[in-house]
Amino acid sequence: MGVALKADFDATKNVDAKGYYERYLKQRPDNTHAANRIKECEQKIKDSEADAAAKAKIEAQYKEFMAKGETAFKAKKYDEAIAAYDGALGVKSGDADATAKKEMAAKAKADAANALSMAAKKKEYDGIIAKANASFDAGDFK
């Protein structure tokens, strides 16, 4: 049973139980066990609602971090993407999707740095070849 379904089931079960105890208490107003159980059910219902709200808040934060990561990744802002995915992992530790996307952003960052380095080396090489060709064409063989 999923977490949300279990929470709904538990909340429904406690609401139903509270209703049964309230009906029983009407028949026997002096029954302290039923009165205590009603209080327990009310607390469990309250806790279930608070738990659901906390989970919804966590999920909203997670989705916000993931969306920021996607946007940054598409814009090739890999450091921002990595930071956003770290934020998502801070909210949902060990999340497979956030971990995979963080790794993908780190690889893209490394690939971009490597491509930039290779472009600089090619430019340097092309400059050396151009000087060599000019010297050769000028007959300067020193």
Side-chain angles (χ1 to χ4, degrees), residues 29-44:
D30 60 333
N31 189 300
T32 57
H33 176 73
N36 289 337
R37 296 297 279 185
I38 289 170
K39 288 177 188 174
E40 287 177 34
C41 288
E42 287 171 345
Q43 185 60 48
K44 287 181 180 181

Side-chain angles (χ1 to χ4, degrees), residues 4-126:
L5 288 175
K6 184 172 181 351
D8 290 344
F9 175 77
D10 289 345
T12 301
K13 187 171 70 171
N14 288 313
V15 169
D16 290 345
K18 179 183 172 209
Y20 292 128
Y21 283 120
E22 287 172 337
R23 281 180 268 177
Y24 182 77
L25 197 58
K26 284 182 183 179
Q27 294 173 3
R28 295 196 156 176
D30 60 333
N31 189 300
T32 57
H33 176 73
N36 289 337
R37 296 297 279 185
I38 289 170
K39 288 177 188 174
E40 287 177 34
C41 288
E42 287 171 345
Q43 185 60 48
K44 287 181 180 181
I45 292 166
K46 186 177 175 183
D47 291 347
S48 179
E49 290 169 353
D51 188 42
K55 286 178 183 175
K57 184 178 177 181
I58 288 170
E59 188 63 26
Q61 290 173 334
Y62 170 79
K63 286 181 179 180
E64 183 179 342
F65 279 122
M66 292 299 285
K68 285 180 182 179
E70 290 289 326
T71 300
F73 184 82
K74 287 177 184 174
K76 297 184 182 188
K77 296 179 179 179
Y78 302 119
D79 287 329
E80 289 179 30
I82 291 167
Y85 295 132
D86 277 338
L89 288 166
V91 174
K92 283 188 175 180
S93 181
D95 180 71
D97 193 32
T99 300
K101 289 186 177 191
K102 179 184 173 185
E103 290 171 359
M104 190 168 65
K107 183 180 180 328
K109 178 183 174 183
D111 289 348
N114 187 37
L116 191 58
S117 174
M118 292 301 290
K121 287 178 183 177
K122 182 171 180 353
K123 184 177 179 182
E124 181 183 357
Y125 171 80
D126 289 346

